[in-house]
Every structure is written in structure tokens, then in C-alpha cells.
Amino acid sequence: MAPVITTVDDLHKIYRRRVPKMFYDYCQSGSWTEQTFNENESDFSKIRLRQRVAVDMEGRSTATTMVGREVSMPVALAPVGLTGMQHADGEILAARAAEDFGVPFTLSTMSICSIEDVAKRTSKPFWFQLYVMRDEDFVDRLIERARDAGCDALVLTLDLQILGQRHKDLKNGLSAPPKLTPATIANLMTKVGWGLEMAQTPRRFFGNIVGHAKGVKDASSLSSWTAEQFDPRLDWSKIARIKEKWGGKLILKGILDAEDARMALKVGADAIIVSNHGGRQLDGALSSIRMLPEIMDAVGGETEVHIDGGIRTGQDVLKAVALGARGTYIGRAFIYGLGAMGQKGVTKTLEVIHKELDTTMALCGEKNIHDVGPHITLVPKGFAGEWETPARNG
Ligand code: GLV
């Protein structure tokens, strides 16, 4: 009998059994001690909700907009590298599930399925996430390819000029496709369903890179590609150049500081994503949800503020919206669904999250997502201001 799936965690358990260790570990890691990775999730549980009663709950709506796009709930699929290694044709399947559900899908630069592949196999525009490389021509070509594919927003990631160290990826020798060593072969032999599906697709390489970038030595390894190609000189002037080159909606991802949020505003971002890259970059940074109120205070009235990091339930989505986020992104939560059950699994993730969001909103006494605000929450004193930068001595 098929298992009854009621939570994202149910999908996580199936995902873990089904997908090779190397890709499971890639998804389920933060950098170094994983403090930030863990706190992204645990800080959501510190926020409590106010129960309200005797409020008419009929005719509820979670629909809103994110950078002008109508969405059925304030959730987008985050860009996740190597998604096509979690399940054969993963990016295409996830994009289709997002499209059917009425939420945006964001394709990573480091995807397996290429921009053109996803565009050909979907019918609504998706968003494209860009990493800035040293090779400016290559960056410009990626921007043009995204425009030609009809992408209606560019998500520019700012927090990964160099790659944070995730121990498991180094120990596993992470690559796409996996390199065959005694350890990987032994593990792959236990992942028959994954392997049979993967054998039937030609999409097993970084589709936006292989065949498009010049002088690439090892395009199968994320860590060597980042070390060789990502531009460590990325600064606000380069961001302005990219904004001009793109000419469309620009979302800046990886803002975790009020000062950077103000800079993003100055450069003309249509939205920012409060993010620490899912705890995968600067370990020891505060969680995204904890930083949200301060960033809202700095720029909230002037640009859309989105958030990612630690969102695994519809309650997390509601809490982020209550503290001011216009939209949220799920990364791991949709990867669990994808790895567990392909497109159906991503749809399941979205259904679970929508149900949790809608039910919680109702029990908090609200029937329209636009009316949700801090008044529905109870937040520990100092949640946002517990940590401060000490004054310089002497
Ligand atoms: C980026 O692609 C990452 O691995 O976090």
C-alpha cells in the first residue's frame, strides 16, 4: 500500500532512501559546523501564533503577487544546483509542478537541464538564477539565453563568489554525473529506481555550462568550477552592469544585512531575498528569519522583501509573511518531494505547504494573505535584536 503522505518530512524519508548518498548529502548540508543551516529551521519554531476565534473563515485566499507575477501562494521554488541529479530530468519536472500549482520555478545556473530544455518542456515563464563568472561574455550569453527562453525575472545570487565548505561534499567527491569509485558504485547499487530513470535521460551534466563555456577543465565538479570560474570581484558596479544588460525584473539573492539591503535598493532591485544560502555559505551568520525584521525596517516600504532558508512548512511561510516577507522560497522542501516521487512529489510538497498555510491562517483569524501581519505572531523579546555588533574599543 502506498504510504499516506501528510508532511514534507514524510517525503524527506522516502527521498533519503531513494537517492544516492552523494546527492542526498549535497542537499542536506550546511557549511562547516552547520550552525546557520540548523538555526534557519529552528528559529522558525521560536515564533508562536495567536489563536483567534469566531471569525468568518469562508472564502479564504492565499493568492498574491511576487514581483508583479500572480502566485497562488507566496512561495516560489528556489534555485537548487544539481536538481537533475536528485531525479532524472529534475528541473523540468519541478518546473512543471510549479507551473501547474501557480508558483514560480527558479532555474539555477548550476542546473542539469539547460535553460532551453526547461523552456521547451514548460509553457509558462520561469525565473533564472545567475551566478557571476569571470568570463563576462559567458555571463552575457547566459543573460541572453534566459531572455530568449522567456524568463520573466533574473535572480542574481550575491553570496557565493567563493564556495562555503561543506565537508560531506568533499568526502563524497561530489560530481555530476557521479564518478565511479568503489564507494559510489556500492551505494548506487542500492538505488535501482534512481539509476534506471537516470539511464534513460541524456541530461546528466551541467546543462548550462557544458558545451557553452570555454576552457572548462572539469565541468563535472561544482567545487572546481566555482573556484576556477566564479568572479570573486563581484561588486555593486558589476551588479549595476548586469541589471542594465538584463533590462527586466531583477531579484537580488543573498542579502542578510540592512546595509546591503539599502545598497540593493540603490542599485534598483525589484526585490531582495533575505538569505544565507540555506546555511551553505557563511556558517555562524544569523538565520534568515531572525534577520528579516531588521531588513524590513531598513527597506521594507521601498522594495519587495522575499526570504529563503529553513522553510519546510506552510506555518513557516505564514510566519515569514507575518514578519513582512512578500514571498518565500522553498529549496530542500521541494527537493525532498522531487527525489521521493518526481513531479508528483513536488506537487505533493506544494499541496502540503498550501494546506498548512491556509489552515494556519484561518486559525489565526485571517482569511486573506494580504491581511496577515505581525499581529498574528508572538515573538520572544529580543528575537530580532538579541545580537548586536559591539562598539569598537578605544
Ligand atoms: C550552490 O549552488 C550551492 O551548492 O549551494
Side-chain angles (χ1 to χ4, degrees), residues 42-321:
S42 62
D43 276 351
F44 270 104
S45 64
K46 296 195 176 120
I47 301 170
R48 303 294 159 86
L49 296 162
R50 286 179 64 198
Q51 172 177 307
R52 300 301 308 274
V53 295
V55 178
D56 175 4
M57 289 180 186
E58 209 155 80
R60 295 188 300 280
S61 172
T62 58
T64 180
T65 59
M66 288 170 76
V67 288
R69 170 142 167 192
E70 287 181 9
V71 292
S72 58
M73 61 176 169
V75 175
L77 301 197
V80 179
L82 291 92
T83 293
M85 281 289 127
Q86 304 289 358
H87 189 288
D89 303 334
E91 289 89 358
I92 294 169
L93 301 183
R96 284 183 178 158
E99 176 172 317
D100 291 347
F101 211 88
V103 297
F105 170 76
T106 317
L107 183 73
S108 166
T109 295
M110 301 310 291
S111 60
I112 302 298
C113 304
S114 68
I115 304 172
E116 293 76 11
D117 249 355
V118 177
K120 229 183 276 165
R121 284 161 184 83
T122 50
S123 55
K124 290 205 194 107
F126 54 94
W127 294 350
F128 181 66
Q129 174 273 336
L130 181 70
Y131 279 125
V132 181
M133 318 273 177
R134 291 173 191 273
D135 179 349
E136 226 169 63
D137 287 345
F138 180 56
V139 172
D140 287 354
R141 280 202 307 281
L142 278 171
I143 292 173
E144 279 155 23
R145 288 169 63 193
R147 191 184 302 119
D148 292 347
C151 295
D152 57 353
L154 188 73
V155 177
L156 181 59
T157 299
L158 304 182
D159 58 3
L160 202 146
Q161 282 143 291
I162 54 171
L163 194 66
Q165 179 165 317
R166 302 107 192 224
H167 302 306
K168 287 180 224 154
D169 293 350
L170 296 175
K171 292 185 164 91
N172 290 332
L174 174 73
S175 68
K179 292 201 175 76
L180 297 180
T181 65
T184 55
I185 292 169
N187 184 249
L188 287 174
M189 280 166 63
T190 67
K191 311 292 176 187
V192 179
W194 178 92
L196 287 175
E197 280 159 1
M198 204 51 86
Q200 289 169 49
T201 180
R203 304 183 187 94
R204 293 195 284 268
F205 303 89
F206 287 111
N208 294 325
I209 311 287
V210 175
H212 294 278
K214 284 178 260 148
V216 182
K217 281 204 209 92
D218 183 4
S220 70
S221 155
L222 180 70
S223 57
S224 56
W225 170 263
T226 354
E228 281 170 32
Q229 305 290 333
F230 281 31
D231 192 350
R233 301 159 304 179
L234 174 62
D235 62 10
W236 292 102
S237 69
K238 285 180 189 259
I239 296 166
R241 187 195 84 79
I242 286 166
K243 178 179 160 54
E244 190 162 327
K245 175 85 193 163
W246 166 246
K249 291 272 161 69
L250 180 70
I251 303 174
L252 294 183
K253 175 172 182 285
I255 303 290
L256 204 66
D257 190 282
E259 202 50 46
D260 288 339
R262 281 188 278 269
M263 293 300 289
L265 196 64
K266 235 193 217 166
V267 92
D270 295 285
I272 60 169
I273 309 179
V274 177
S275 172
N276 48 41
H277 214 102
R280 300 162 71 79
Q281 286 296 102
L282 178 63
D283 188 38
L286 285 183
S287 68
S288 306
I289 191 65
R290 212 181 259 266
M291 288 309 298
L292 179 63
E294 190 180 322
I295 292 178
M296 283 306 301
D297 283 350
V299 299
E302 292 163 275
T303 190
E304 270 187 37
V305 178
H306 302 174
I307 185 169
D308 73 13
I311 296 172
R312 308 283 184 269
T313 70
Q315 290 215 328
D316 298 337
V317 173
L318 190 73
K319 288 170 182 177
V321 171

